[in-house]
Amino acid sequence: MNTQHTDLSVQLHGEQQEVAIVTLTRAAKRNALNDGLILAIRDTFQNLPTSVRAAVIDGSGEHFCAGLDLSELSERDACEGVFHSRLWHTALDCVEKGRVPVVAALHGAVVGGGLELASACHIRVADESTFYALPEGTRGIFVGGGGSVRIPKLIGAARMTDMMLTGRVYNATDGERIGLAQYLVPAGTARDKAIELATRIATNAPMTNYALMHALPRIAEQPGDHGFFTEALISSIAQSAPEAKARVRAFLEGKAAKVRKD
Ligand code: 1HE
């Protein structure tokens, strides 16, 4: 497997270099994810510089990502296929369960493994050119990058089943309506919006961000009684941080922003 990061670029953004912008740069192949690129995603999110407190992932060219590099598929037997799928799981887990929240900036095709990658992110911003599909069903294969776990949590198993059985393609507006993205923005502006959100996220207390990434998804899957207990533990840990106390004090002293209507 190729471990060179030739198809991925990482830029640091912000006064303290607090936002990492991770860009798939394989536009000639519509950012199709070959093994080298999957390993690069894993390595990048495992080794983000310590200054980084939030990240953005986007794709160069006309599309976010065309999914699995289909030219590599034909060479695998069943056993290699299992290992390959597990490699994707590891890599996308590094995105979802890493140290910092990740905002996906989507445009053009977000298909197959591209949608699996987007669904491993914590927030999805889609521009009007975005379209979503799971062509695995019509290609005679199945999702293998964690899609069957993550995508039903966004849109429900019934909609995912429909996408895979019928090859249904959702446009940007309908994608936002059903929950594939949380933000819908004009064409060409998803990256800017994602950077704006990541810059804001980077100002949160790190423990709050960590709790949202690591405690909330687990609590959501726990029986209610266990969830309440875990919530009590994590909220008391977050509250006890000196930074949390300072932020609450700042509000009480009229020095912190109020909540305002947009
Ligand atoms: C690719 C891939 C790819 C493009 N693997 N090479 N994903 C799919 O089934 C989607 C397949 N791709 C497409 O439907 C279209 O390419 C797009 C809608 C994404 C873009 O269309 P377009 O007209 O802009 O580009 P294109 O002309 O189709 O492709 C440009 C080049 O990228 C071309 O190569 P070239 O050498 O002829 O220039 C394409 O072959 C190449 N290309 N997509 C390999 N996916 C962990 S399991 C996940 C399972 C899946 O993700 S299955 C779904 C795979």
Side-chain angles (χ1 to χ4, degrees):
M1 273 179 199
N2 173 19
T3 53
Q4 297 291 311
H5 298 180
T6 47
D7 294 321
L8 194 86
S9 86
V10 182
Q11 281 176 278
L12 297 183
H13 177 92
E15 274 174 29
Q16 262 99 47
Q17 309 216 302
E18 67 273 25
V19 174
I21 304 169
V22 179
T23 304
L24 309 175
T25 56
R26 200 177 178 229
K29 295 289 180 187
R30 308 310 186 245
N31 299 316
L33 299 166
N34 57 15
D35 288 350
L37 200 37
I38 284 293
L39 287 170
I41 290 170
R42 180 197 67 184
D43 294 349
T44 298
F45 283 92
Q46 256 177 354
N47 298 297
L48 286 173
T50 49
S51 66
V52 171
R53 295 175 71 156
V56 167
I57 185 160
D58 72 346
S60 60
E62 300 287 297
H63 302 281
F64 173 70
C65 177
L68 174 70
D69 187 324
L70 292 168
S71 70
E72 289 188 349
L73 189 66
S74 51
E75 293 159 25
R76 269 183 217 113
D77 64 22
C79 188
E80 287 168 340
V82 170
F83 292 145
H84 182 254
S85 171
R86 299 299 288 155
L87 172 66
W88 273 62
H89 293 162
T90 302
L92 299 196
D93 241 28
C94 291
V95 176
E96 184 181 36
K97 302 218 178 67
R99 193 172 53 76
V100 302
V102 184
V103 184
L106 307 178
H107 73 293
V110 181
V111 303
L115 180 51
E116 295 185 286
L117 171 60
S119 67
C121 298
H122 304 93
I123 295 180
R124 282 154 295 281
V125 177
D127 87 4
E128 285 162 347
S129 72
T130 306
F131 58 98
Y132 309 89
L134 290 170
E136 287 89 339
T138 52
R139 306 241 185 267
I141 53 177
F142 194 70
V143 285
S148 56
V149 172
R150 295 192 180 101
I151 298 169
K153 288 180 186 158
L154 300 179
I155 62 173
R159 285 201 176 98
M160 178 170 174
T161 304
D162 175 29
M163 287 175 82
M164 291 196 67
L165 285 177
T166 67
R168 181 170 183 168
V169 179
Y170 277 98
N171 65 24
T173 308
D174 289 339
E176 194 257 352
R177 176 178 58 78
I178 67 170
L180 285 167
Q182 294 101 315
Y183 293 83
L184 177 60
V185 296
T189 67
R191 179 182 160 103
D192 288 349
K193 180 69 180 177
I195 293 171
E196 178 197 318
L197 294 171
T199 303
R200 183 170 175 174
I201 291 165
T203 67
N204 292 340
M207 193 59 208
T208 303
N209 283 350
Y210 192 82
L212 284 166
M213 295 169 63
H214 291 267
L216 179 61
R218 290 182 169 90
I219 292 170
E221 287 183 1
Q222 286 178 340
D225 182 49
H226 295 203
F228 291 138
F229 187 70
T230 312
E231 180 188 88
L233 296 180
I234 196 74
S235 66
S236 89
I237 292 169
Q239 261 171 43
S240 66
E243 187 171 345
K245 293 190 191 308
R247 283 170 185 246
V248 173
R249 205 166 40 243
F251 173 77
L252 294 174
E253 291 168 359
K255 294 179 193 155
K258 289 187 193 182
V259 177
R260 291 191 195 283
K261 276 204 292 189
D262 262 350

